[in-house]
Amino acid sequence: MVARSIQETLRAVVGVPEDVHTVLEIMNSLSSNDEAAVRTELMEQVPQIAVLCHEYPEHLGGVVANNLVPMVVKYLTDPNNQVRKTSQAALLVLLEQELVSRSDVHDQVCPVILDLTCPDAMDDFKTEAVAVSRGRVSVALLLLKRIYIFG
């Protein structure tokens, strides 16, 4: 329930840097919660938070790159299947709506996708990485290169 109010609270305090910082700290704290339901709920909010960040770049400019993307890519390897699936869905929305910069895709997303497709990765992770890679051409090209090399 708390994760659902992150976006609304962030919108309400967008002009107050100290309050924005506090909300981001709460979000980061929730991202470390042991309960899979909390992490899943947080992932469900990521696309809306990213849109908000793009609406207020002067106040929330670095939040996508510094907070949201690292959290999403971390959850791509979460032990809980529902958390993984929700993070994949969130990442696809971020990629499809171009809410993540090309450099962040290259620097933060692609390395994780490539790790998930390495020969010794779990088969579920490989399948999920292929699904995520369709969201951005640069991710798909790196994945194709990996498949070609390791065939």
Side-chain angles (χ1 to χ4, degrees), residues 80-109:
N80 182 280
N81 186 48
Q82 187 61 38
V83 174
R84 278 197 323 273
K85 297 286 186 192
T86 309
S87 69
Q88 293 163 20
L91 181 58
L92 284 173
V93 171
L94 295 177
L95 295 174
E96 289 168 356
Q97 293 186 7
E98 297 184 356
L99 297 169
V100 180
S101 73
R102 174 167 277 162
S103 64
D104 289 329
V105 170
H106 182 268
D107 296 342
Q108 296 187 60
V109 177

Side-chain angles (χ1 to χ4, degrees), residues 62-76 108 112:
V63 172
V64 172
N66 298 326
N67 298 89
L68 299 180
V69 173
M71 185 175 23
V72 170
V73 297
K74 176 178 109 177
Y75 285 160
L76 292 175
Q108 296 187 60
V112 173

